[in-house]
Amino acid sequence: MVWSPENAVNAYLQTVKLCKLDVEKKNTCPKKSRELESTELISALAAGMNAQVIVEVSLAPSATTIALAAAARQTGGHLVCILPANAHTLQVESVEAMKELGLEDTTEFVVGDAKELLPSYKNIDFCLIDCKAQNCSGLFKLLNINPSAAVVVANNLLDRTTTAAHDKTFKWMPGAKSITLPIGKGIEVIRIGSYNPSSSQAQQSVGIIPYNRCTQGNINPDACQGCNKKKSRWIVHVDKLTGEEHVFRVLKNTLSKY
């Protein structure tokens, strides 16, 4: 998996622009329901890994759908958004909304039972499943992902307790590694690939900063003036038993107490 910073940045910026435009048009993502922190990250992840086959399972189109569509346009890929069987009205409205945003060529809305539809999509590069959907944990087992390099995202984790279910689903695959991020309503990102995730080169290839370096690339974060000026720090904790990575944002004044 070769990480493209240019694709990630472009998709990130396009997502900000398109979501703002969509709010103004009052289409798919009302301002009160937007979770920009996770939305922008998801777009950058999909575009940065140059995903071609992108699949989303959601109860309704949202800012996340726009983000993935922006990523698909950046990479020249295709997004399939699977909606519930009773969402035909939403399907029509969403197609029109995507036309207004110029994303109709990269996005397809499919209505039906996700359990029946998911197996028909092969070699998925990037998949996002909304954990607010019923029986969402069983959907992870139905994914036919690209075995050489893929990313699976479980969104809205705070609404469901599905972490253990999908973690076990992909744990046997080569290069599988998961990380839980406390942003938005909670997301978990699972990377699957044949690369060596412990090497610095592999971490950089998928957009991960080595743990012994700061965000500016310095080996000693404490000695970095740029990091010391920041109001908060990101701390990565690796569970030795499960291998899961957890990222925490800690305010600087909190760190100074210890």
Side-chain angles (χ1 to χ4, degrees):
M1 183 190 299
V2 179
W3 177 259
S4 171
E6 182 180 359
N7 278 349
V9 171
N10 288 340
Y12 179 99
L13 295 176
Q14 282 297 308
T15 297
V16 175
K17 178 181 178 181
L18 291 170
C19 284
K20 181 179 179 181
L21 179 62
D22 189 71
V23 169
E24 294 173 354
K25 293 179 177 294
K26 299 180 180 179
N27 287 329
T28 61
C29 53
K31 188 174 181 179
K32 64 179 181 180
S33 67
R34 292 174 66 206
E35 294 290 345
L36 274 182
E37 287 183 335
S38 59
T39 298
E40 295 164 355
L41 171 64
I42 288 168
S43 180
L45 278 175
M49 65 170 292
N50 197 34
Q52 299 297 303
V53 181
I54 305 174
V55 177
E56 178 188 20
V57 179
S58 179
L59 294 177
S62 63
T64 302
T65 308
I66 295 175
L68 291 175
R73 183 170 67 178
Q74 177 64 35
T75 65
H78 186 72
L79 165 66
V80 176
C81 180
I82 300 177
L83 302 174
N86 58 353
H88 291 283
T89 302
L90 277 176
Q91 181 187 31
V92 176
E93 294 175 350
S94 300
V95 170
E96 291 301 318
M98 287 298 175
K99 286 182 179 180
E100 293 185 19
L101 297 176
L103 298 171
E104 69 276 12
D105 293 336
T106 63
T107 311
E108 175 187 0
F109 292 95
V110 180
V111 174
D113 188 345
K115 290 186 176 180
E116 297 178 359
L117 294 173
L118 272 179
S120 62
Y121 298 100
K122 310 297 182 182
N123 290 320
I124 298 173
D125 298 310
F126 191 98
C127 180
L128 182 142
I129 295 180
D130 188 345
C131 290
K132 290 188 294 186
Q134 292 183 352
N135 301 320
C136 59
S137 59
L139 299 178
F140 294 93
K141 299 179 181 179
L142 302 175
L143 295 178
N144 186 318
I145 61 174
N146 186 340
S148 60
V151 171
V152 179
V153 176
N155 198 21
N156 295 315
L157 281 179
L158 296 182
D159 293 322
R160 294 279 177 180
T161 55
T162 60
T163 304
H166 67 253
D167 179 60
K168 292 180 180 179
T169 301
F170 298 104
K171 207 167 188 177
W172 60 271
M173 302 193 73
K177 203 169 186 65
S178 64
I179 180 171
T180 303
L181 301 173
I183 58 177
K185 290 187 177 180
I187 67 173
E188 182 150 0
V189 181
I190 305 106
R191 305 176 309 184
I192 298 96
S194 57
Y195 51 83
N196 179 7
S198 62
S199 68
S200 174
Q201 183 179 0
Q203 289 172 331
Q204 291 174 350
S205 70
V206 292
I208 302 297
I209 300 172
Y211 301 150
N212 63 333
R213 295 178 182 266
C214 72
T215 55
Q216 299 183 18
N218 295 314
I219 296 178
N220 185 4
D222 295 327
C224 177
Q225 294 181 356
C227 291
N228 287 331
K229 290 180 181 179
K230 294 182 179 180
K231 296 181 180 180
S232 62
R233 290 266 303 276
W234 289 95
I235 297 177
V236 178
H237 174 265
V238 180
D239 190 315
K240 294 182 179 179
L241 295 178
T242 63
E244 291 184 344
E245 298 171 321
H246 301 274
V247 179
F248 305 92
R249 185 181 183 185
V250 182
L251 297 177
K252 188 174 180 181
N253 57 1
T254 303
L255 288 170
S256 63
K257 295 179 182 179
Y258 298 94

